[in-house]
Amino acid sequence: MAGQSRQALRSRIKSVKSTRKITKAMEMIANAKLFKQRNKMEANREYAQRLQDTVNSIVTNNPEAESAFLIKNDNPHIMTIVFCSDLGLCGGYNANIMKKIKEELNPEDPILLIGTKLYRQLQEAGYKLINEAPVSSDKITFQELKKAVEQGIDMYRNKEVGIVQLLYTRFVNTMSFQPDFDQLLPCVTQEPEQKEDKETGKDHQETLFEPSAEAILDSLIPMMIQDVAYADWMESTTSEQGSRRVAMKTASDNADDLASSLQLEYNKARQAAITQEITEIVGGSSAV
């Protein structure tokens, strides 16, 4: 009986150590992808911020300018582009997105899902998916993402929806990731801060645009929206790799703890078997 117990423990220890090798390898891969994706995300931030600042400046300095992307309509429906992962084993990344959807979105509102992991869950939950087949998040290109955004723009301009928004996972730091919404339409602008010229000490001068502020906005706002969507996608994929790295590190640490605990049980069982054998030998020699 003791021999069978030790054999079962040896099998479990071997299985745990084998699993630990897999989780450790996945942790290293996720860490490498996280580093690469984070560099891309940070490199895009400056361009995205400059583009948003330009739009904000035009709208602020030209309050009479009108654009179809700034006008609100009364349609109560909201079109949401949702980013999720293609694969699992990334902790609560997809579960948190699904929780946010159930808390915030109306099942009757259209959803364009980018990522394959939640496609069937949303279908079974009765949500209105406007993409007929799953769209890969890992393999999506900027042009494909641009088409998804343009679909939302068309629905807004045709007054099929009143708001177009994104649901993505915001990258807070390497250990924290937060699902969040980002409104694309109607375009929400903020008044830029007045900056002084370092050399003259004068306020920053207004930039003049041609042919007109309206024409510039109609061309620039779609570009800004597309870049915002791309930036949010990069934040989501960075968060996915970060979440996967944390999950695999936790799994590796748990495997180490479990292997140590099983090894201790094995040593106790082995010691008990040796003690029993010695007792039997001593008892037999005493009988002789």
Side-chain angles (χ1 to χ4, degrees):
M1 191 71 180
Q4 292 180 3
S5 177
R6 294 201 306 274
Q7 184 177 0
L9 286 170
R10 279 199 302 267
S11 178
R12 288 191 63 191
I13 291 170
K14 184 178 180 181
S15 176
V16 168
K17 288 183 176 181
S18 177
T19 302
R20 195 260 183 196
K21 290 180 181 179
I22 296 173
T23 57
K24 192 65 179 178
M26 293 184 67
E27 177 191 344
M28 294 173 65
I29 293 170
N31 193 49
K33 288 184 176 181
L34 171 63
F35 179 78
K36 182 179 179 181
Q37 199 66 24
R38 188 175 182 180
N39 287 341
K40 288 182 179 180
M41 178 188 71
E42 292 175 348
N44 183 68
R45 277 179 176 170
E46 183 175 355
Y47 169 75
Q49 189 60 51
R50 290 289 183 90
L51 198 56
Q52 290 180 6
D53 288 345
T54 301
V55 172
N56 290 339
S57 178
I58 297 173
V59 173
T60 302
N61 295 318
N62 299 272
E64 75 286 351
E66 296 182 355
S67 173
F69 304 112
L70 300 173
I71 301 173
K72 298 180 181 179
N73 64 58
D74 298 328
N75 194 310
H77 292 294
I78 300 173
M79 187 269 200
T80 308
I81 300 173
V82 179
F83 293 125
C84 70
S85 72
D86 292 339
L87 303 174
L89 299 177
C90 50
Y93 175 79
N94 290 308
N96 291 334
I97 295 172
M98 191 66 188
K99 180 181 178 182
K100 194 77 170 177
I101 290 173
K102 290 182 177 180
E103 290 176 349
E104 303 288 343
L105 299 186
N106 186 338
E108 296 180 0
D109 290 341
I111 293 177
L112 198 158
L113 183 66
I114 297 177
T116 61
K117 194 63 179 177
L118 296 180
Y119 190 84
R120 180 168 293 181
Q121 292 185 43
L122 289 173
Q123 278 187 325
E124 293 175 351
Y127 284 89
K128 185 180 178 181
L129 291 171
I130 60 177
N131 47 321
E132 297 180 357
V135 178
S136 173
S137 177
D138 290 341
K139 298 179 181 179
I140 193 169
T141 63
F142 179 78
Q143 293 300 322
E144 290 172 334
L145 184 58
K146 179 181 175 182
K147 290 180 181 179
V149 175
E150 288 175 346
Q151 188 172 354
I153 292 174
D154 290 340
M155 293 178 71
Y156 181 80
R157 299 187 75 168
N158 294 332
K159 296 185 178 182
E160 297 176 25
V161 294
I163 294 175
V164 177
Q165 64 183 6
L166 280 163
L167 175 54
Y168 72 109
T169 303
R170 181 162 50 88
F171 183 84
V172 180
N173 54 53
T174 55
M175 299 292 292
S176 181
F177 323 98
Q178 184 66 41
D180 203 359
F181 288 101
D182 199 351
Q183 182 172 315
L184 300 181
L185 292 173
C187 185
V188 179
T189 59
Q190 298 177 352
E191 185 174 350
E193 297 179 0
Q194 294 295 328
K195 298 180 181 179
E196 292 187 353
D197 190 281
K198 294 182 179 179
E199 295 181 0
T200 64
K202 297 180 180 179
D203 291 343
H204 180 70
Q205 298 298 313
E206 177 185 350
T207 303
L208 299 178
F209 296 95
E210 292 185 358
S212 66
E214 289 86 351
I216 296 294
L217 287 175
D218 287 340
S219 176
L220 200 58
I221 288 178
M223 290 176 55
M224 184 191 72
I225 292 173
Q226 292 161 11
D227 190 71
V228 167
Y230 184 66
D232 288 347
W233 170 77
M234 285 197 290
E235 281 215 40
S236 292
T237 53
T238 304
S239 299
E240 177 192 345
Q241 298 305 329
S243 183
R244 181 171 286 110
R245 183 191 67 84
V246 172
M248 292 301 101
K249 185 179 187 308
T250 303
S252 298
D253 292 342
N254 290 339
D256 288 335
D257 294 340
L258 181 57
S260 298
S261 177
L262 291 173
Q263 187 65 47
L264 181 61
E265 289 185 27
Y266 174 79
N267 292 339
K268 288 181 179 180
R270 182 171 177 272
Q271 186 63 42
I274 293 173
T275 302
Q276 183 179 358
E277 289 177 2
I278 292 174
T279 302
E280 290 175 355
I281 292 172
V282 172
S285 61
S286 299
V288 173

